[in-house]
Each structure stands twice: as C-alpha cells, then as structure tokens.
C-alpha cells in the first residue's frame, strides 16, 4: 500500500514538470498529466490513497517552486476534490463502465475549471 502510494507520487511529481501551455489562457495556466497517477491510485486503492498521492506531489512541488505554496495549494484542492469524487463514484460499483464514468466526470470538471 505504502509502496504503491510512494511510487505513484514520484511518477506524479515527475509528470508535473511536463507542462503544456493552454491556448487562449493566461501565461500561468498550464496543463499537465500529473493527476493521472493519482486517479489510477484511487481506482486501485481507494479515494484516500489518491488524495494522499496528490498531497505528496504538491508538498514536493512546493519545495521546488517560488510561488509561496499558493499554486500548489490550489492544485491540491482541485486535484484532491476531483480524485476523491471520482474514487467515491467508482467505489459504488467497481466495473469498467463506472471507471470510465468517474474518469469522464473528472475530465468534465477539469475542463469546466479551465473555462472559468
């Protein structure tokens, strides 16, 4: 359990460095794939484990950036809420269809966050 969380947090931290600028958005708004390992951990181990992966990733990022932790706090709040919600949806019925539905719910919420 701890090993999977640690490995997924490390992979998530590395993926956070691969950022893509968003078209028609401010220069600080960038998209990365660092939430995918947290989502996979949520499906495998539960919503709390995915939230812990998000927490570890953002603590590590806060140590290596100069934003004062504000961006990391916002990233944690959004990522943890989306991963936790997707995990709760998937936990109700553990099928491939529910994994797709909860993943799509997460993607829809992410795109709505970016549109605002």
């Amino acid at each position: 359990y701890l090993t999977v969380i640690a490995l997924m947090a490390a992979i998530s931290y590395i993926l956070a460095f691969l950022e893509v600028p968003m078209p028609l958005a401010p220069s600080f708004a960038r998209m990365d794939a660092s939430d995918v390992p947290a989502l996979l951990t949520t499906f495998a181990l539960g919503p709390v484990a995915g939230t812990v992966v998000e927490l570890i990733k953002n603590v590590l990022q806060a140590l290596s950036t100069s934003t004062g932790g504000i961006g990391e706090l916002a990233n944690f709040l959004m990522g943890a809420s989306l991963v936790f919600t997707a995990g709760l949806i998937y936990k109700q019925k553990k099928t491939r269809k529910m994994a797709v539905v909860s993943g799509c719910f997460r993607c829809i919420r992410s795109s709505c966050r970016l549109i605002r």
Side-chain angles (χ1 to χ4, degrees):
Y1 191 82
L2 289 175
T3 306
V4 171
I5 290 175
L7 286 173
M8 290 305 225
I11 291 169
S12 185
Y13 176 67
I14 291 168
L15 286 176
F17 289 110
L18 305 173
E19 297 177 337
V20 177
M22 297 291 298
L24 302 174
S27 62
F28 62 84
R30 295 188 178 148
M31 186 171 60
D32 61 11
S34 65
D35 291 335
V36 174
L39 189 63
L40 294 175
T41 305
T42 297
F43 291 155
L45 302 177
V48 175
T51 305
V52 171
V53 169
E54 284 285 335
L55 177 68
I56 294 169
K57 174 194 74 161
N58 285 299
V59 166
L60 290 174
Q61 281 183 337
L63 297 174
S64 64
T65 62
S66 61
T67 63
I70 301 300
E72 287 75 21
L73 178 63
N75 189 341
F76 171 72
L77 291 175
M78 289 302 297
S81 65
L82 296 174
V83 166
F84 193 80
T85 305
L88 288 179
I89 292 171
Y90 180 70
K91 193 175 181 179
Q92 297 299 319
K93 190 174 181 184
K94 293 185 177 184
T95 62
R96 185 176 292 165
K97 180 180 177 183
M98 285 306 287
V100 170
V101 167
S102 63
C104 288
F105 174 76
R106 185 189 175 288
C107 292
I108 290 169
R109 293 281 301 202
S110 294
S111 63
C112 290
R113 172 180 56 131
L114 295 174
I115 290 172
R116 291 184 200 167

